[in-house]
Amino acid sequence: MDFTFTEEQQAAVEAARAVFSDVAPDRAPSPALTRGAVAEDIDRRLWHELARTDLLGLTLSPDHGGAGLDPIALCLVLRESARVLARVPLLESCAVATALQRYGDRTLAAELLPRAGRGELIMTVGANGHTGHDPAELAVSARPYEDEDEDEDGDGNGDGNGDGNGNGDGNGDGRDDGPDGGASGWVLDGVQTAVPWAQVADWIAVPAHTTGGRQVLALVPRTRDGVTLADQVSTNGERLAEVRLEAVRVEARELIAAAGCWDWLRSLLTTGTCALALGLGERVLAMTADYTGKREQFGFPVATFQAVAIQAADRYIDLRAMEATLWQAAWRISTGSGGPLPAAGDVAVAKIWASDGVRRVVQTAQHLHGGFGADTDYPLHRYHAWAKQIELSLGPAAAHEEALGDLLAAHPLG
């Protein structure tokens, strides 16, 4: 097996390191010292720099002004971003843009994706449902509506795309012309909670279900009538939003009904979050090694004490397991390769290691730093808050172990 990255992927890493090299983790106020959100906006300077270096269009095709790379490259860049606690919606915007390119309407993709790659618009996604515990697609309903005034192509179906029978359009790219050929648009009702960066996003991807129980993904402009946002604050002090949709109308082309679209996007979001956990954990362990190598007790660096060395070694093993499972999941998503289990199995394993691993790394770091780790003038407490937010985003490892067990039961290994 070849575990090396391609030249293009390695070039993306080098570009990301150059961009993130002057980003300080304390560019925004500390969440420990701030009531409410640490800032009203994202790090715009960093966002524009990512656009200037073409990192926002990493997974977009050259037709849309992108580099045409795969989700592995995106995860490599996310890993670098987490090391400096980059306050940008890199994961959410790139993931939604990639899903639109892969499954969505071509005309909408042609309108939005070049602008997304240039950093001119931001996309985000509601992936937590109404409570954070139930499937996100069940939190919002989508029902078709008829409106002859919106039938622009004169074929009676309002989508301008083809047969609209929900069976795909025969182009072989995974796109689907819609689950209801008679619908010229859709009405959305429901709530998505803890949507990241929603207040600054231009478009919000909303998973939903039809009356027939089919999963769909709607792309909704934030300013569309019927969309209201209520402020929420994450564990690491960043702004989230409860997004409420009340009779929100979306055009047929703004709803993606292709089979597997939401599952694929959800897997990419999860795998990207695992990449964030890995990058953050690696930076925290490096900080710990530096500190324990300089801190002396009884005339010796504490790093030379057996108990300290063993704890650090255990966390290094955690990080290597997080890395191996991350790249396995990213490879399955990127290539669509088969295996003894569906790709969801590899994603579940990556989530198990990332959720538990990032918590163990920051807890050990706090312990080995002693009281210095709680000093708000030192950045470790920020990494701890971000790690806790990542852990909460991924969910408990026990739940992923249960999901993996269900997959094993349904697909016995030969």
Side-chain angles (χ1 to χ4, degrees):
M1 298 179 67
D2 185 2
F3 290 98
T4 59
F5 297 110
T6 67
E7 291 183 5
E8 292 82 4
Q9 291 166 345
Q10 292 172 343
V13 172
E14 293 303 318
R17 287 175 178 169
V19 171
F20 295 128
S21 62
D22 64 346
V23 177
D26 57 356
R27 186 175 286 186
S30 166
L33 304 176
T34 307
R35 295 187 64 180
V38 297
E40 294 296 309
D41 199 3
I42 65 173
D43 188 336
R44 289 286 175 177
R45 184 174 68 180
L46 177 57
W47 187 251
H48 295 320
E49 189 64 17
L50 288 169
R52 186 188 67 80
T53 52
D54 298 325
L55 289 173
L56 297 183
L58 203 62
T59 58
L60 299 181
S61 72
D63 292 341
H64 296 133
L69 299 185
D70 57 17
I72 294 176
L74 175 60
C75 288
L76 284 166
V77 174
L78 289 168
R79 180 187 190 180
E80 299 300 320
S81 75
R83 289 174 173 166
V84 298
L85 306 183
R87 299 186 51 261
V88 288
L90 182 62
L91 169 59
E92 295 81 7
S93 196
C94 289
V96 174
T98 307
L100 172 58
Q101 174 179 262
R102 184 183 178 98
Y103 295 100
D105 178 85
R106 287 189 182 86
T107 59
L108 185 63
E111 290 175 16
L112 300 185
L113 297 186
R115 296 183 60 208
R118 295 192 299 267
E120 296 172 0
L121 63 80
I122 295 173
M123 298 180 176
T124 190
V125 55
N128 296 307
H130 190 185
T131 65
H133 301 286
D134 301 320
E137 67 273 12
L138 299 183
V140 176
S141 64
R143 68 181 190 276
Y145 71 82
E146 296 288 344
D147 189 344
E148 294 181 358
D149 293 338
E150 297 188 14
D151 183 5
E152 299 177 355
D153 59 3
D155 63 359
N157 61 25
D159 62 6
N161 265 335
D163 63 11
N165 59 16
N167 294 320
D169 58 5
N171 57 26
D173 60 2
R175 291 181 173 84
D176 192 323
D177 289 329
D180 191 320
S184 56
W186 295 82
V187 178
L188 305 178
D189 288 283
V191 176
Q192 293 285 347
T193 193
V195 179
W197 318 107
Q199 292 88 344
V200 298
D202 300 285
W203 290 75
I204 302 173
V206 179
H209 66 280
T210 67
T211 53
R214 187 172 185 180
Q215 295 180 7
V216 295
L217 183 71
L219 298 175
V220 184
R222 173 176 52 84
T223 56
R224 183 68 53 85
D225 289 345
V227 177
T228 56
L229 276 59
D231 280 354
Q232 298 175 318
V233 181
S234 67
T235 301
N236 59 342
E238 297 297 337
R239 291 181 79 191
L240 303 175
E242 179 188 79
V243 178
R244 185 173 297 275
L245 303 105
E246 297 181 352
V248 175
R249 289 197 170 197
V250 296
E251 301 173 14
R253 67 173 189 158
E254 294 171 344
L255 187 131
I256 303 174
C261 173
W262 169 235
D263 287 337
W264 187 88
L265 175 56
R266 179 171 50 196
S267 294
L268 178 55
L269 291 167
T270 300
T271 305
T273 305
C274 292
L276 295 173
L278 175 63
L280 185 151
E282 289 175 330
R283 176 60 184 144
V284 166
L285 188 61
M287 292 169 61
T288 305
D290 182 66
Y291 177 79
T292 56
K294 296 176 180 177
R295 178 78 166 92
E296 292 189 359
Q297 286 186 357
F298 311 111
F300 297 94
V302 296
T304 63
F305 298 167
Q306 186 178 44
V308 173
I310 289 174
Q311 290 182 71
D314 285 343
R315 300 295 77 82
Y316 177 83
I317 293 171
D318 276 337
L319 290 172
R320 297 291 68 79
M322 291 165 63
E323 183 177 19
T325 55
L326 163 66
W327 299 131
Q328 173 68 12
W331 175 73
R332 290 291 302 275
I333 294 171
S334 297
T335 64
S337 299
L341 290 178
D346 293 294
V347 174
V349 173
K351 289 165 73 175
I352 291 167
W353 278 102
S355 181
D356 269 359
V358 73
R359 171 177 49 80
R360 288 194 292 257
V361 168
V362 294
Q363 286 180 344
T364 297
Q366 289 281 13
H367 176 63
L368 296 183
H369 274 82
F372 195 54
D375 187 344
T376 55
D377 292 328
Y378 185 67
L380 182 59
H381 76 286
R382 294 175 181 265
Y383 285 90
H384 201 158
W386 278 66
K388 178 55 67 174
Q389 179 61 34
I390 289 173
E391 181 189 358
L392 293 172
S393 298
L394 290 170
H400 312 321
E401 291 166 353
E402 182 179 352
L404 182 61
D406 291 340
L407 286 170
L408 288 168
H411 303 84
L413 302 180

